[in-house]
Amino acid sequence: GPVFTQEPSDSIFPLSADDNQVFINCKAKGNPPPHYRWKVDGREIDTKSDLNYSLIEGNLLINNPHVINHGGVYQCIATNTFGTIVSREAKVQFAFLQNFSRKSRNTVSVREGQAVVLLCGPPPHYGEIKYSWVFNGQSSFLQQDARRFISQRTGNLYIAKVEASDAGNYTCAVRNIMTNATVFSSPTPVVVRRDAVMGEYEPKIEVQFSDTLHISKGSSVKLECFALGNPVPSISWRRADGNPLPGKIKINHSSGVLEIPYFRPEDAGVYECVAENSRGRNVARGQLIFHSKNCTLKDAEMAIGANLQWECKAVGKPRPTYRWLKNGELKKTNQNHVEGGTLTISRISLLDAGMYQCVSENEHGAIYASAELKVVASPPDFTRRPVKKSTVIQRGGEVVLECRPHASPRATISWFRGGELLKDTKRQTIMEDGTLRITNISKSDGGRFTCVARNRFGASSSTGMLVVKEPTKIIVTPLSLDATVGQSLVLPCEVSSDSSLSPIFKWFFNGKAIDFSRQEHFEMIGGGFAGDLMVRNIQLKHSGKYVCMVQTEVDTVSAAADLIVRGPPGAPEDLVVTDITEATVQLSWSSGPDNHSPVTMYMVQARTPFSIGWQTVRTVPDSVPGQMMHATVKDLNPWVDYEFRVVAINSVGVGEPSMPSKQIRTKAAVPKVAPVNVSGGGGARGELVIMWEPIPEEQQSGEDFGYVVAFRPLGSNTWIQTVLASPDASRYIYRNDSMAPLSHFEVKVGVYNSLGEGRFSHVVKVVSAGEEPSEAPSRVWGRSVSASEIEVFWEAVPPGSSTDEIIGYEVVFWEEGSGQSEADRVRVVSTTARLSGLKGNTVYQISVSAQNSAGLGPCSHALNITTKKPPPSQSPGNIEWNLTNSKIFLNWEHVKAMENESEVTGYKVVYRQNWHGRTTVLETNKTSVELQISSGEDYLIEIKALTEGGDGTSSGPIRIPKMSSKFQTLSSMSSGMGALCN
């Protein structure tokens, strides 16, 4: 039957259209394709005799339309051999706009601060209209703002609060959107009176929307709201239910218009416009109701004699009325019962076939819903739904064999086993729809079952086999177990089953199937009739219910077990520190999870800025039992920042620590610790040196920490005390020139802080500094080694010449005639010294003195030694070389020393392979040399003169390339040797 794919809709056409034609759509599908007719205002259109109308497929074309002759309500009718349907009614109208009356308009007189409404009064028109206003004949339209508003519903201009500048002529402009024609009204003069100014008053909402609006799905709705008032009111929008406005909403014209595009059911509700100024506020509200146009019917294919009920429901206000059409005509048949939106057809006959339509309508419009009724008459047919060929069932189970042939009218059903007709018994029942049900099945119930179906048009049959198998049983079930974290265990699952079946094992953990490909802890082991679950390296998260499910072709069985995993306790929680004293705090906490093993004890740990990590601290009680959630921490250091944490212990092990507590500082106290390792001695003459180990910061117990040093001569009763305010001090030197060397003292060191003095150390004996050595070193002699070095020797000062051990010697040397004040010094611990960096050919005076902890002794007699003349400044010249096989032959000119230079006694040849090779030194008293070398390498050679004053100036590196054998002089080597390298 035909089904509309496109229906005509209400249309407005401009009369000024260029092509002077109107096209109304209508299209339907059907098999065979439908043919079309049209009605206008209930009258059939004869497209053959009326030249203004023509059909293009199903669409209607109106040529040279006339506003009076061709406006009206059009309806499309589609028909094929299966029936007829009518389209919804579509109103066709033509847009137009007439001119305003030329009559002049009255002057409007208004006070400043007052509101004014200027009426537009549009001329007769049809089609969508847009309103604008012109002020004083300006070329541009008046702009809307918070103070001025143009209603697109009435065309009126609203000015919330008049200003002096508003005086002038106002013209209303009306434009027809479809024809694009614009007409202008006569001007309305506005005069602003100066005799008085309007006072302030609260907002008065002059433009508002309807109390109730029915909006259809997908359409756009605009709500207008504008208030008069002084001061100018502000406009805002909200929903009465408090929900936010939809994000798609547009608010414009200074909030005076709210637009909701694409209206949906969730957009329905009560909307409020709030107008507000300093004098008060006013609210306008209206309800938007979603108007559903949906009403659908489903095609029906019914057997002869069956009953049919179609229900058509539409939502709308006012409540819609219903009409039913069959093949386009109003339905009024005796066996058909119409009640509201429900059509009932009893005992369907072939005459009932056709197209049915439900029309639901109210003042807002009509909705058409279409459906086709096919009436079927046929003998039983098992082609599409035969009896199941083979049904496998377990012994003792229940089977349902369906028999559902296609038959119209409905067939009567009989069942046969082998050739025997089956009747209802205790165990077997033929149900009303023809289904055969057999309970408590035994092996003897297996075999061939045939369903025979008959109606007045014929009979047919279908056969299937019933196979009975032994039921599956779980013979080894998983057991509920306890396990400890880290263990591995096996949950067994073994079945007995019919030998012809292949059981499939599945395991579930806490209701979820275990995916063995992704779970590293789980593995299924065994095979055939066993599917045990291995759980490796068990963790706390593995506690729970495990189910083994076994499926076969005929049945499913399962067994469950609980696994409890015991682990170290979880972290204690809510740790709080209270009752802070100088050495104790009170801790309290809540227990964390015990992970299935009760907590046996708690351990308290602390850390400070001075500790390495967390340290276990002493508590009261000594061992905190598992039921106790508090303890006193003792033996803390005063005035130290502490953090605490608690660790729970059970029979499995030590748990995770709690979160650290907030950092606290113990109260200050007088220092409890005295300095240790007090000692002393040494120093310069007249000094008593006292040393000790500083007290660590964590034991200083408070602010302003320092030391009290006390000492007295041995045998004296009076202590001399001094205070050192530095917490880092570790020594004190008492100076008294009248103190005899090596005097014996008793010494002790105490501590203090801002709260008072602490304890003193044990008293120790300390000896004051001794005397400097009384003798100078004897038998001082020396020799010049070169132009820049002198070696000096002497005999050690004997032990009896000093009260203290000799710790070294000082050698003083200066140039003759320069004075001892400019002398240089060298300190050594042995009885020899090498003086370097000296001038050549110069007399130096040298003196030596011994040193102990008290200072330097007397100097020896000055010794005069002259350094040797400096070596020649001239380097060896005219160097020549010859390379043959593995030998280099070198010769050079003799270097002559100047009168103030040392005589040349020989030469030093230094050579190495390239820059990085091992250096070889060869000394000779000749001016030539033969060098044995390895082949295949570059060589670098330099030559220096040898003198008693030291080595002379170097010739500089000479590079001898590995391939060269040509004899060359130094002056001509630059090209062959790559010049001299530096």
Side-chain angles (χ1 to χ4, degrees):
V3 177
F4 282 117
T5 57
Q6 198 171 26
E7 293 186 69
S9 55
D10 291 350
S11 306
I12 301 172
F13 295 98
L15 271 179
S16 58
D18 294 338
D19 56 5
N20 213 16
Q21 288 182 327
V22 168
F23 195 77
I24 312 174
N25 292 315
C26 181
K27 200 169 190 181
K29 63 181 181 180
N31 188 11
H35 60 85
Y36 301 88
R37 293 177 291 131
W38 282 83
K39 286 183 179 181
V40 58
D41 295 333
R43 164 178 62 82
E44 286 259 359
I45 297 173
D46 186 349
T47 52
K48 290 179 181 173
S49 62
D50 192 335
L51 298 178
N52 287 105
Y53 294 106
S54 56
L55 277 178
I56 300 175
E57 294 181 341
N59 306 306
L60 182 66
L61 181 67
I62 309 175
N63 295 295
N64 301 310
H66 185 273
V67 63
I68 295 171
N69 297 342
H70 296 116
V73 176
Y74 286 78
Q75 192 169 32
C76 173
I77 303 151
T79 304
N80 72 3
T81 52
F82 290 97
T84 299
I85 54 174
V86 295
S87 75
R88 63 172 171 241
E89 295 178 334
K91 190 182 285 185
V92 173
Q93 291 171 292
F94 296 91
F96 67 90
L97 175 63
Q98 294 184 10
N99 284 318
F100 275 98
S101 158
R102 292 294 90 205
K103 189 179 174 185
S104 61
R105 299 196 171 197
N106 294 335
T107 299
V108 176
S109 178
V110 63
R111 286 187 290 176
E112 195 173 337
Q114 198 175 354
V116 71
V117 180
L118 302 181
L119 306 181
C120 177
H125 62 271
Y126 197 82
E128 189 182 348
I129 294 296
K130 172 145 175 65
Y131 294 97
S132 308
W133 283 79
V134 177
F135 179 53
N136 283 341
Q138 292 172 356
S139 58
S140 60
F141 291 120
L142 186 75
Q143 291 300 306
Q144 299 183 72
D145 52 29
R147 200 170 60 84
R148 297 177 295 190
F149 180 77
I150 299 166
S151 169
Q152 292 303 319
R153 211 154 46 80
T154 62
N156 296 341
L157 169 62
Y158 299 83
I159 302 177
K161 175 193 163 192
V162 171
E163 296 175 354
S165 59
D166 292 327
N169 288 323
Y170 290 82
T171 304
C172 180
V174 180
R175 180 165 71 92
N176 189 310
I177 301 293
M178 297 204 70
T179 64
N180 211 24
T182 303
V183 294
F184 294 91
S185 71
S186 302
T188 301
V190 172
V191 175
V192 179
R193 286 161 51 191
R194 298 302 180 94
D195 54 346
V197 175
M198 183 76 173
E200 292 187 353
Y201 62 96
E202 68 177 18
K204 179 192 173 198
I205 296 179
E206 191 70 24
V207 179
Q208 55 186 298
F209 44 100
S210 305
D211 291 346
T212 307
L213 284 169
H214 293 267
I215 316 295
S216 57
K217 179 180 178 180
S219 59
S220 177
V221 59
K222 286 185 180 178
L223 306 180
E224 291 186 341
C225 181
F226 190 74
L228 313 178
N230 184 2
V232 175
S234 65
I235 303 289
S236 60
W237 294 87
R238 67 188 183 195
R239 287 180 68 146
D241 57 10
N243 288 334
L245 293 172
K248 64 187 177 183
I249 272 185
K250 301 172 189 170
I251 297 173
N252 49 26
H253 296 325
S254 300
S255 305
V257 179
L258 174 113
E259 181 180 359
I260 309 173
Y262 319 115
F263 197 80
R264 294 282 180 269
E266 59 268 22
D267 298 328
V270 177
Y271 285 74
E272 292 184 334
C273 158
V274 182
E276 206 165 359
N277 68 8
S278 57
R279 306 297 294 183
R281 63 176 355 210
N282 243 313
V283 179
R285 61 177 59 84
Q287 184 172 15
L288 305 190
I289 297 170
F290 180 74
H291 179 61
S292 171
K293 286 189 177 177
N294 289 339
C295 181
T296 56
L297 295 177
K298 283 189 177 175
D299 290 345
E301 188 171 297
M302 305 296 291
I304 288 176
N307 297 328
L308 169 66
Q309 188 177 71
W310 261 319
E311 192 170 20
C312 176
K313 273 189 179 176
V315 178
K317 278 193 179 180
R319 183 179 294 175
T321 59
Y322 298 92
R323 290 183 287 131
W324 284 88
L325 310 177
K326 180 188 176 190
N327 292 330
E329 301 296 330
L330 200 60
K331 191 87 182 89
K332 287 179 183 173
T333 318
N334 291 337
Q335 81 266 32
N336 298 339
H337 178 63
V338 176
E339 186 175 337
T342 304
L343 170 68
T344 306
I345 306 176
S346 305
R347 296 185 301 283
I348 288 173
S349 71
L350 288 170
L351 294 174
D352 291 313
M355 299 302 301
Y356 288 78
Q357 286 178 287
C358 171
V359 185
S360 52
E361 53 199 334
N362 66 8
E363 63 190 48
H364 300 293
I367 302 169
Y368 288 72
S370 304
E372 180 178 1
L373 171 59
K374 286 182 181 174
V375 181
V376 182
S378 66
D381 180 8
F382 283 99
T383 307
R384 283 191 288 174
R385 289 190 297 224
V387 171
K388 192 174 178 185
K389 279 190 177 176
S390 178
T391 303
V392 182
I393 193 74
Q394 64 168 346
R395 182 175 56 79
E398 177 183 301
V399 70
V400 172
L401 299 176
E402 287 189 337
C403 180
R404 298 175 62 195
H406 186 272
S408 181
R410 192 168 138 189
T412 57
I413 303 295
S414 317
W415 279 94
F416 292 82
R417 182 171 178 273
E420 181 190 348
L421 177 66
L422 296 181
K423 295 181 178 176
D424 284 357
T425 67
K426 261 190 178 181
R427 289 197 307 113
Q428 66 188 27
T429 311
I430 299 172
M431 300 166 81
E432 197 177 328
D433 64 354
T435 301
L436 174 62
R437 180 168 174 261
I438 309 173
T439 61
N440 193 17
I441 282 178
S442 65
K443 278 276 189 183
S444 61
D445 287 323
R448 179 189 292 274
F449 287 78
T450 302
C451 173
V452 178
R454 291 184 177 85
N455 72 5
R456 71 175 100 154
F457 296 106
S460 185
S461 66
S462 180
T463 301
M465 289 295 293
L466 178 62
V467 181
V468 182
K469 300 279 188 181
E470 284 298 317
T472 305
K473 289 180 183 172
I474 296 180
I475 55 173
V476 182
T477 60
L479 301 172
S480 293
L481 295 171
D482 283 13
T484 303
V485 167
Q487 284 184 334
S488 297
L489 54 76
V490 173
L491 294 172
C493 188
E494 192 176 331
V495 298
S496 68
S497 183
D498 195 294
S499 57
S500 65
L501 300 176
S502 299
I504 297 168
F505 289 84
K506 288 184 180 176
W507 280 90
F508 295 82
F509 171 47
N510 288 340
K512 287 189 177 177
I514 296 174
D515 182 352
F516 290 97
S517 65
R518 300 176 66 179
Q519 294 275 6
E520 57 178 323
H521 293 276
F522 297 122
E523 182 186 349
M524 186 134 62
I525 57 177
F529 292 91
D532 301 345
L533 176 66
M534 162 79 84
V535 190
R536 288 193 169 86
N537 186 18
I538 288 174
Q539 301 300 306
L540 288 169
K541 65 184 178 183
H542 296 139
S543 281
K545 182 179 281 295
Y546 290 80
V547 176
C548 171
M549 180 187 283
V550 187
Q551 289 176 310
T552 68
E553 189 183 341
V554 297
D555 56 1
T556 299
V557 289
S558 64
D562 291 312
L563 176 60
I564 294 173
V565 182
R566 306 190 189 283
E573 299 168 353
D574 308 324
L575 179 59
V576 177
V577 186
T578 55
D579 302 343
I580 301 162
T581 72
E582 62 192 46
T584 66
V585 297
Q586 185 76 32
L587 296 185
S588 59
W589 59 89
S590 306
S591 62
D594 67 3
N595 294 332
H596 306 296
S597 180
V599 175
T600 53
M601 66 174 286
Y602 288 99
M603 184 167 61
V604 179
Q605 297 175 332
R607 71 176 172 190
T608 72
F610 316 108
S611 66
I612 299 168
W614 291 90
Q615 308 288 333
T616 302
V617 290
R618 299 184 63 192
T619 57
V620 179
D622 216 12
S623 173
V624 183
Q627 307 82 359
M628 198 168 172
M629 305 292 166
H630 58 87
T632 302
V633 183
K634 62 178 182 175
D635 299 343
L636 301 176
N637 288 325
W639 198 246
V640 170
D641 292 327
Y642 280 94
E643 289 175 282
F644 298 95
R645 71 182 190 185
V646 180
V647 180
I649 300 167
N650 64 12
S651 60
V652 181
V654 179
E656 290 290 313
S658 68
M659 292 290 289
S661 69
K662 284 186 180 175
Q663 193 179 67
I664 61 98
R665 177 172 285 189
T666 48
K667 293 191 173 172
V670 173
K672 291 181 171 57
V673 181
V676 294
N677 294 339
V678 178
S679 63
R685 183 170 180 168
E687 290 183 344
L688 172 64
V689 178
I690 302 167
M691 293 178 287
W692 62 92
E693 213 172 278
I695 299 294
E697 188 181 341
E698 67 264 34
Q699 294 180 331
Q700 293 174 4
S701 300
E703 294 180 294
D704 304 330
F705 182 83
Y707 298 93
V708 179
V709 181
F711 55 93
R712 66 185 178 188
L714 196 61
S716 167
N717 291 327
T718 307
W719 292 93
I720 302 167
Q721 286 197 163
T722 187
V723 173
L724 300 181
S726 168
D728 302 321
S730 62
R731 64 188 281 139
Y732 170 69
I733 300 173
Y734 170 67
R735 292 182 177 84
N736 187 343
D737 292 339
S738 62
M739 193 189 324
L742 302 180
S743 297
H744 288 262
F745 284 84
E746 287 183 311
V747 172
K748 61 182 180 180
V749 182
V751 289
Y752 72 92
N753 64 19
S754 58
L755 293 183
E757 286 192 29
R759 290 160 45 204
F760 274 93
S761 67
H762 296 299
V763 176
V764 297
K765 291 185 173 60
V766 176
V767 180
S768 68
E771 286 186 294
E772 304 92 336
S774 57
E775 291 183 31
S778 58
R779 300 190 63 183
V780 179
W781 65 283
R783 65 186 181 89
S784 172
V785 180
S786 69
S788 61
E789 289 183 317
I790 293 173
E791 270 190 328
V792 184
F793 308 90
W794 59 89
E795 277 191 7
V797 171
S801 69
S802 169
T803 58
D804 209 349
E805 182 187 355
I806 300 296
I807 57 173
Y809 297 90
E810 184 177 80
V811 181
V812 184
F813 58 98
W814 64 94
E815 286 183 41
E816 188 179 47
S818 66
Q820 202 168 341
S821 60
E822 297 176 26
D824 289 316
R825 287 172 166 74
V826 172
R827 291 200 172 176
V828 294
V829 294
S830 61
T831 56
T832 179
R834 181 180 281 258
L835 312 181
S836 56
L838 308 177
K839 293 180 183 175
N841 200 21
T842 304
V843 178
Y844 281 89
Q845 292 187 296
I846 301 165
S847 178
V848 185
S849 56
Q851 184 180 12
N852 64 12
S853 62
L856 289 167
C859 291
S860 65
H861 292 297
L863 172 73
N864 286 355
I865 298 178
T866 304
T867 53
K868 301 200 182 292
K869 290 180 181 178
S873 57
Q874 183 190 345
S875 60
N878 283 341
I879 300 168
E880 296 178 343
W881 57 268
N882 189 19
L883 176 63
T884 58
N885 296 331
S886 59
K887 288 183 181 178
I888 296 176
F889 297 97
L890 279 170
N891 58 42
W892 58 87
E893 278 187 0
H894 176 64
V895 175
K896 283 188 177 179
M898 310 278 286
E899 189 180 339
N900 62 342
E901 294 176 338
S902 295
E903 284 297 325
V904 175
T905 58
Y907 295 91
K908 184 191 286 187
V909 179
V910 181
Y911 62 98
R912 66 180 180 276
Q913 284 181 4
N914 225 323
W915 290 104
H916 309 297
R918 188 169 59 84
T919 299
T920 305
V921 179
L922 181 71
E923 290 190 4
T924 178
N925 55 7
K926 299 178 182 174
T927 58
S928 63
V929 74
E930 181 183 299
L931 305 177
Q932 195 81 21
I933 63 162
S934 307
S935 58
E937 288 290 342
D938 287 2
Y939 269 82
L940 292 164
I941 298 173
E942 56 181 321
I943 306 167
K944 300 175 184 176
L946 285 175
T947 72
E948 65 174 6
D951 290 354
T953 306
S954 167
S955 63
I958 302 158
R959 179 172 165 272
I960 298 180
K962 56 189 173 188
M963 297 305 294
S964 176
S965 59
K966 188 176 179 183
F967 184 86
Q968 294 178 312
T969 63
L970 186 62
S971 59
S972 63
M973 279 196 296
S974 61
S975 60
M977 293 169 45
L980 296 182
C981 301
N982 223 344

